[in-house]
Amino acid sequence: MARLTLDELRRKRAEAQKSIYLREGEFRGKIIVHMGTCGIAAGARAIVSAFLEELEKSGVKDIMITTSGCAGLCSKEPMATVEMLNSPPVRYVELTPEKAREIFQAHIIGGTAVAEYALGIGSERGG
Ligand code: FES
């Protein structure tokens, strides 16, 4: 089998991701809050609540909020990953409910990631 170049792999991943979103019901994006033991201890529940409140207030219907397990970085909890269709995932660290609200407005509504709170853009896969 011929070897794939990095660009080909990226394209295949983007195509696969797009089809997953379509199968899930045409969501434009997903917020994943990491709820491992340390995430919960660090306040992840309040982060989920803040995102849910913002989602409800906004009336936006094509964003999914979900949870995942441990992300392997205890010291950076609470964390959340934002995956928007056709954009690299962004992992946000050391969140507070205020930061979560700011991220919702800037990234989900405004389309611009909040680099100040991000661990890395495009370097992680959402859980
Ligand atoms: S228990 Fe802390 S990152 Fe897994």
Side-chain angles (χ1 to χ4, degrees):
M1 189 169 134
R3 286 188 168 194
L4 293 172
T5 66
L6 199 53
D7 278 348
E8 286 168 336
L9 275 173
R10 286 198 181 112
R11 202 179 55 245
K12 280 182 182 297
R13 180 169 177 242
E15 282 166 11
Q17 202 161 32
K18 195 171 175 182
S19 75
I20 288 168
Y21 276 109
L22 292 175
R23 280 202 304 273
E24 284 175 351
E26 312 241 346
F27 282 94
R28 177 170 63 91
K30 181 154 84 166
I31 301 170
I32 305 149
V33 181
H34 301 281
M35 300 276 282
T37 313
C38 61
I40 293 170
R45 284 199 180 94
I47 304 305
V48 174
S49 300
F51 278 129
L52 285 171
E53 279 170 30
E54 289 301 304
L55 183 66
E56 200 176 306
K57 269 196 302 190
S58 70
V60 169
K61 300 281 183 232
D62 56 358
I63 296 293
M64 180 196 302
I65 297 179
T66 183
T67 61
S68 75
C70 163
L73 275 172
C74 292
S75 63
K76 300 285 185 192
E77 296 282 1
M79 294 193 278
T81 301
V82 173
E83 290 184 6
M84 301 301 283
L85 198 57
N86 300 324
S87 300
V90 181
R91 180 159 288 179
Y92 291 107
V93 297
E94 297 174 335
L95 292 175
T96 63
E98 293 70 32
K99 287 181 185 174
R101 291 177 201 285
E102 196 180 326
I103 289 164
F104 190 91
Q105 290 305 323
H107 197 163
I108 305 296
I109 304 294
T112 305
V114 186
E116 190 187 344
Y117 305 148
L119 177 67
I121 298 180
S123 62
E124 306 266 353
R125 295 188 64 202

